[in-house]
Amino acid sequence: MTLIQPSSIGRQSTTRSVGRQFQSVIIMLFVTTLLAGGIGSRLVYLQMVEGDRNRALAENNRIRLIPKQPARGTIFDRKGRILASSRLSHSVFLWPIAQKEKPWTETRKSLSELLNIPESEIQKQVEKAGYNSTSLLRIARDINPAQITALEEYRSTLQGVEVDIEGVRNYPNKEVAAHILGYTGEMNDEELQERKDEGYRLGDVIGQMGVEAAFEKELRGEWGGQQVEVDGAGHVQRILGQKKARAGKDVQLTLDLDIQKAAEKALGDRKGAIVAMDPNNGAILAMVSRPAFDPNVFSKRITPETWKKVQSRGNPFVNRALRVFPPASTFKIVTATAGIESGKYSPNTVLGTYPYLTVGGIRFGEWNHAGFGPLGFVGALAMSSDTFFYQIGRGIGGPTLIHWTRQYGFGEKTGIELGTEELPGLVADNTWKQKRLKQEWTIGDTVNMSIGQGFLQTTPLQVAVMFAVPANGGYRVKPHVLKDNEESKNWRKSLNMKPETIRVVRQGLRQVVTSGTGKGVNVPELPPIAGKSGTAEAPPGLSHAWFGAYGPADKPTILVVAFAEHSGGGGGKVAAPMVRQVLEAYFKVKKPKK
């Protein structure tokens, strides 16, 4: 039997045998360690780095915070009629913490198309709130029915987006009293930073102007909210806790809606202002400024197109009743007071009037270029003689005239609650002129000031305060828009004027209407009215027109000041008819039917 040995050709020698039985075990241990390390490091990352967010995401699947905005207080006029209230509307909210990177891109794009809001604007709001925020973030207010329907149709694809009902500000009279009421709007970054300590939060709506801003604390109310448990579909299962929102307080103003509407109609489309006030206590009955705006436009997002349209009117947010202009001849009330109170001129003083008066080598002309012959204070007020009051100003000197100008309240804010929008005006003196112009005060400056020109700058509201002094018998009132039951004496102080001064000024203002420059308000339908006109030089444009009046002349209950900016006409022709319309509304004059 022959044994055949296997050939060794092509075979390799396998002399190594130690450790071969552990090779597979080592590889398995290495792979296991690698996997465990990767998983462990991921767990560490999720726990330590992303822990808070993931816990919040898990909690957000079950518990949500729903803030409840308080109802803003209602604003009423003096007779209880609504000037500003809140109406229910639909707003769009989203949950920042529920947004994931990839779906959020699609959600943001869909919201932009449905709501007509740039994606960048939505993204900016979310980043401002922070992706970890568990509170609702408002991204659109007062959406229309078509948008509500579209959002409902796409609800399944819009993760973390909800439509809810909330109150938005409503002004039923639209532009009427817009400047005194103001408007509301969402806080910007700067406002939020300033008021964070007061409990304000991102997306809060606050008063931005007028009464809405002045009484923000009273109107605002206090936020409430709910903590609710939801299911996977986002439906509320039960309320875990809640705090009721506290509505803001209502505010009643001194405004009379009828008088306000009459003043709005009287001013029309002219650029200017009208102020109607109770001369006995400073209660504002009406305040109009043109151009105006509709505060309802701020109840929803302002698009660039809307903003451009609003601004095209020409500075519509400027309250011209609180801006400064030269008061012109209305100021002769102050000059007459200063002249008699100084003791240098008796109430019976008579002075010649001329085509012009030369002072310091400069000719100061009379407005009629001829003069009126000899006049006393009463006649000079009636005819508004410039050369008469030039002589009074020159005679008493700058310091005395400046003193009485400030006594009447010029050069400082009146104290009205809208103080952040009010300008103090300017009563220049030697110190001011040296500082600003490096020049000494001259007698020419005093002469110019005596007829309400020169450096003097006043607001229509300040001019109304000036008219109240002769109207109420010598008291400077503090204008106010908040209605209360305080007695008149708490809103005014005496200027300690001589009875003769008050008598002469009142007689002069009455004669302005009966036989002077204000005959436009001397009509049988009205009670006896007293007033004063003014036409201010306003280079390089057309002149400003002024007229102020009060009535009844013997015991006034209302005064009205009308101002027409760059009207190009005289106060008696342009502004007096506006005052007459307001007085007719106040005294309920019934005009015959055509």
Side-chain angles (χ1 to χ4, degrees):
M1 182 175 182
T2 304
L3 298 175
I4 301 175
Q5 299 293 330
S7 172
S8 60
I9 298 173
R11 295 176 58 190
Q12 294 181 350
S13 173
T14 55
T15 57
R16 180 180 176 273
S17 60
V18 179
R20 289 186 63 182
Q21 64 269 32
F22 301 107
Q23 185 173 348
S24 59
V25 175
I26 292 170
I27 291 172
M28 289 179 64
L29 286 172
F30 175 77
V31 171
T32 302
T33 303
L34 187 65
L35 288 172
I39 294 171
S41 62
R42 179 61 179 167
L43 287 173
V44 170
Y45 173 78
L46 291 175
Q47 287 289 332
M48 301 298 292
V49 180
E50 290 286 315
D52 291 341
R53 174 171 170 79
N54 288 323
R55 279 191 291 273
L57 280 169
E59 190 72 7
N60 189 58
N61 288 331
R62 187 174 65 86
I63 297 174
R64 291 182 179 178
L65 300 174
I66 303 178
K68 293 295 180 182
Q69 183 181 3
R72 195 169 178 85
T74 301
I75 302 175
F76 298 96
D77 85 334
R78 68 188 301 110
K79 296 179 180 177
R81 292 168 291 193
I82 294 176
L83 299 175
S85 61
S86 297
R87 61 177 174 82
L88 297 179
S89 72
H90 289 81
S91 296
V92 182
F93 300 85
L94 58 80
W95 303 88
I97 199 169
Q99 307 307 322
K100 296 178 181 178
E101 186 174 349
K102 190 173 181 181
W104 167 235
T105 303
E106 294 300 318
T107 299
R108 187 179 62 215
K109 184 177 180 181
S110 298
L111 287 174
S112 174
E113 294 174 355
L114 293 172
L115 301 176
N116 193 27
I117 301 175
E119 281 191 62
S120 58
E121 189 174 314
I122 299 174
Q123 179 68 23
K124 184 179 179 181
Q125 290 190 62
V126 174
E127 290 176 352
K128 196 185 299 181
Y131 283 99
N132 290 334
S133 175
T134 58
S135 295
L136 283 170
L137 173 66
R138 183 198 304 107
I139 59 171
R141 302 172 66 204
D142 199 24
I143 61 175
N144 59 48
Q147 290 172 321
I148 297 171
T149 302
L151 287 167
E152 187 62 31
E153 290 177 356
Y154 288 93
R155 183 174 182 179
S156 59
T157 62
L158 298 175
Q159 183 180 3
V161 178
E162 300 195 12
V163 177
D164 203 354
I165 295 175
E166 68 171 351
V168 298
R169 211 57 169 159
N170 180 54
Y171 303 88
N173 301 295
K174 297 183 179 179
E175 290 189 3
V176 174
H179 289 90
I180 199 166
L181 293 175
Y183 64 93
T184 61
E186 286 192 23
M187 305 179 75
N188 57 37
D189 294 345
E190 185 178 335
E191 290 169 334
L192 179 61
Q193 194 64 33
E194 290 176 356
R195 309 186 77 158
K196 232 174 185 179
D197 294 340
E198 300 174 39
Y200 286 92
R201 65 188 77 187
L202 185 68
D204 268 5
V205 174
I206 65 170
Q208 299 283 359
M209 177 183 167
V211 167
E212 293 280 21
F215 298 104
E216 166 67 18
K217 186 176 180 181
E218 290 79 5
L219 292 166
R220 175 192 176 197
E222 186 176 321
W223 278 79
Q226 290 181 330
Q227 188 179 44
V228 298
E229 184 176 353
V230 297
D231 60 17
H235 299 134
V236 176
Q237 299 300 300
R238 62 191 178 106
I239 298 174
L240 302 177
Q242 70 175 351
K243 175 187 176 183
K244 288 186 176 181
R246 180 174 59 81
K249 295 179 181 178
D250 295 337
V251 171
Q252 187 169 19
L253 304 182
T254 59
L255 285 188
D256 185 310
L257 185 57
D258 295 329
I259 308 304
Q260 181 71 31
K261 287 181 177 179
E264 303 261 356
K265 185 178 180 181
L267 187 57
D269 293 328
R270 294 186 186 90
K271 186 180 288 187
I274 292 180
V275 176
M277 184 173 75
D278 183 336
N280 299 298
N281 63 8
I284 300 297
L285 304 176
M287 182 182 287
V288 184
S289 178
R290 285 285 188 275
F293 62 95
D294 183 354
N296 287 300
V297 300
F298 295 96
S299 294
K300 57 178 66 180
R301 176 179 170 269
I302 301 291
T303 64
E305 294 76 20
T306 302
W307 183 249
K308 185 177 180 181
K309 184 178 179 181
V310 172
Q311 289 284 38
S312 67
R313 295 188 174 190
N315 298 322
F317 301 103
V318 173
N319 187 346
R320 283 172 167 75
L322 305 178
R323 289 298 186 268
V324 295
F325 310 91
S329 291
T330 61
F331 183 77
K332 290 170 182 174
I333 292 172
V334 177
T335 306
T337 301
I340 299 173
E341 288 291 316
S342 71
K344 292 186 177 181
Y345 296 95
S346 76
N348 301 318
T349 295
V350 175
L351 299 174
T353 61
Y354 313 96
Y356 60 87
L357 196 71
T358 303
V359 178
I362 300 174
R363 285 187 175 185
F364 292 85
E366 182 65 76
W367 69 266
N368 71 348
H369 309 294
F372 302 93
L375 290 176
F377 278 103
V378 173
L381 285 168
M383 303 313 297
S384 196
S385 170
D386 292 331
T387 55
F388 179 93
F389 288 101
Y390 291 155
Q391 295 175 75
I392 298 297
R394 181 177 62 181
I396 62 176
T400 299
L401 183 57
I402 290 168
H403 166 75
W404 277 102
T405 303
R406 290 175 175 154
Q407 283 289 93
Y408 267 84
F410 294 115
E412 62 181 272
K413 294 185 177 184
T414 63
I416 195 170
E417 296 93 332
L418 314 179
T420 57
E421 301 165 42
E422 183 183 18
L423 295 180
L426 173 63
V427 178
D429 55 17
N430 187 53
T431 302
W432 177 88
K433 192 177 180 185
Q434 285 184 329
K435 183 177 180 181
R436 294 294 298 272
L437 304 177
K438 311 300 181 187
Q439 297 175 1
E440 291 288 327
W441 185 269
T442 67
I443 191 62
D445 294 323
T446 304
V447 167
N448 240 346
M449 185 178 179
S450 68
I451 62 165
Q453 294 284 173
F455 303 116
L456 186 63
Q457 294 286 303
T458 65
T459 70
L461 182 60
Q462 289 175 331
V463 172
V465 171
M466 176 190 71
F467 271 99
V469 174
N472 62 37
Y475 295 90
R476 175 176 152 191
V477 297
K478 178 182 177 182
H480 59 282
V481 296
L482 184 64
K483 189 177 185 300
D484 54 44
N485 296 316
E486 288 187 335
E487 295 181 13
S488 298
K489 65 182 181 182
N490 295 323
W491 292 100
R492 64 187 198 176
K493 69 175 185 178
S494 175
L495 297 188
N496 298 314
M497 294 164 58
K498 301 170 186 175
E500 280 295 291
T501 303
I502 298 169
R503 180 186 62 79
V504 169
V505 173
R506 293 187 71 164
Q507 284 181 356
L509 298 182
R510 174 64 182 140
Q511 196 163 312
V512 167
V513 175
T514 58
S515 59
T517 58
K519 289 184 285 188
V521 294
N522 189 32
V523 293
E525 295 85 6
L526 290 174
I529 303 297
K532 183 72 188 76
S533 62
T535 306
E537 295 177 1
L542 299 172
S543 59
H544 303 318
W546 290 88
F547 196 84
Y550 57 80
D554 57 340
K555 197 173 182 180
T557 55
I558 184 175
L559 74 80
V560 182
V561 169
F563 168 74
E565 184 177 342
H566 295 302
S567 66
K573 291 183 178 180
V574 176
M578 293 190 278
V579 172
R580 174 182 167 180
Q581 288 184 56
V582 179
L583 292 174
E584 287 174 341
Y586 178 81
F587 290 109
K588 295 181 171 54
V589 173
K590 293 183 179 180
K591 295 185 177 181
K593 294 182 180 179
K594 293 182 180 179

